[in-house]
């Protein structure tokens, strides 16, 4: 069973060394011990990361042990329907304008189709909706897809369009 967290040491770990010595040293409450406190402060500051890596290592070794002793595994193929993913390139805030959009079609792990991404600058919502209806109409004819999977939001800096205005260094290289 692990020791309880000392709240005083936890608070002290958040202070600088000078502040901790002043508060808990000879002028303060006198609990500062040079030989012990540096290590303890480091432990309290890094305990979340240390515990996470310790758990990860434990799980990994447990899986390796289980893999050596575990039952045989088989894979069963199932028929999957094609699905369309809608990628929206917009900032995280709720009222952010749509920078670009793209669509890709997948069947299981097999990538079937990419619809050419487009920039949405200057387009109103109605025009974007009309575009998406046209895309869905084409996908319905080719793959029987009637709707998009839940949309995937990506940052505008990840825009896949080569001549994107957010990538001015690429535009300058192309014009030369």
């Amino acid at each position: 069973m692990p020791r309880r967290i000392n709240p005083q040491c936890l608070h002290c770990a958040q202070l600088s060394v000078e502040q901790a010595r002043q508060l808990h040293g000879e002028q303060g409450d006198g609990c500062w011990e040079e030989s012990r406190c540096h290590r303890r402060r480091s432990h309290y500051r890094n305990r979340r990361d240390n515990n996470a890596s310790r758990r990860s290592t434990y799980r990994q070794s447990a899986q390796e042990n289980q893999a050596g002793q575990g039952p045989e595994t088989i894979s069963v193929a199932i028929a999957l329907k094609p699905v369309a993913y809608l990628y929206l390139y917009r900032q995280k805030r709720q009222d952010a304008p749509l920078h670009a959009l793209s669509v890709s079609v997948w069947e299981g792990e097999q990538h079937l189709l990419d619809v050419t991404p487009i920039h949405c600058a200057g387009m109103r919502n109605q025009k974007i909706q009309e575009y998406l209806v046209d895309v869905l109409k084409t996908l319905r004819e080719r793959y029987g897809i009637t709707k998009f999977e839940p949309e995937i939001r990506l940052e505008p800096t990840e825009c896949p369009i080569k001549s994107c205005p957010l990538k001015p260094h690429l535009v300058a290289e192309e014009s030369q």
Side-chain angles (χ1 to χ4, degrees):
M1 180 118 188
R3 280 189 196 153
R4 290 184 181 268
I5 294 173
N6 185 340
Q8 186 175 6
C9 291
L10 183 62
H11 172 70
C12 181
Q14 304 307 317
L15 303 173
S16 68
V17 176
E18 294 81 23
Q19 291 172 327
R21 280 187 183 140
Q22 188 176 25
L23 186 63
H24 300 289
E26 293 175 11
Q27 296 99 8
D29 60 9
C31 77
W32 179 269
E33 286 188 33
E34 201 67 38
S35 62
R36 180 177 59 190
C37 288
H38 287 291
R39 185 179 187 293
R40 189 172 286 178
R41 286 165 43 82
S42 174
H43 167 74
Y44 277 114
R45 275 194 312 272
N46 301 313
R47 82 187 245 288
R48 180 176 291 145
D49 295 336
N50 291 341
N51 287 342
S53 67
R54 193 178 300 125
R55 279 191 298 271
S56 173
T57 304
Y58 175 76
R59 284 187 194 123
Q60 217 170 21
S61 66
Q63 284 178 350
E64 288 171 1
N65 290 342
Q66 208 174 41
Q69 302 167 355
E72 183 180 333
T73 60
I74 61 169
S75 62
V76 178
I78 56 172
L80 297 172
K81 293 182 178 180
V83 293
Y85 292 103
L86 175 63
Y87 300 96
L88 302 177
Y89 297 87
R90 82 162 31 136
Q91 292 176 347
K92 191 168 186 168
R93 68 177 207 267
Q94 195 70 22
D95 63 336
L98 186 59
H99 172 76
L101 63 86
S102 65
V103 176
S104 64
V105 177
W106 290 77
E107 185 174 3
E109 295 179 10
Q110 185 180 5
H111 188 207
L112 300 177
L113 174 79
D114 268 334
V115 176
T116 307
I118 63 163
H119 276 124
C120 297
M123 292 175 74
R124 296 197 173 271
N125 283 344
Q126 183 179 3
K127 188 71 171 172
I128 294 171
Q129 292 298 327
E130 289 173 7
Y131 173 76
L132 291 175
V133 167
D134 290 344
V135 170
L136 269 178
K137 196 179 296 182
T138 305
L139 294 178
R140 187 180 313 115
E141 292 169 2
R142 289 182 71 174
Y143 300 104
I145 297 172
T146 57
K147 64 179 183 172
F148 293 111
E149 292 295 306
E151 62 192 35
I152 300 168
R153 189 196 67 79
L154 298 167
E155 288 295 320
T157 54
E158 300 175 74
C159 180
I161 302 172
K162 289 183 181 178
S163 61
C164 179
L166 296 180
K167 302 174 188 173
H169 63 282
L170 295 176
V171 174
E173 289 174 5
E174 288 178 2
S175 63
Q176 291 178 355

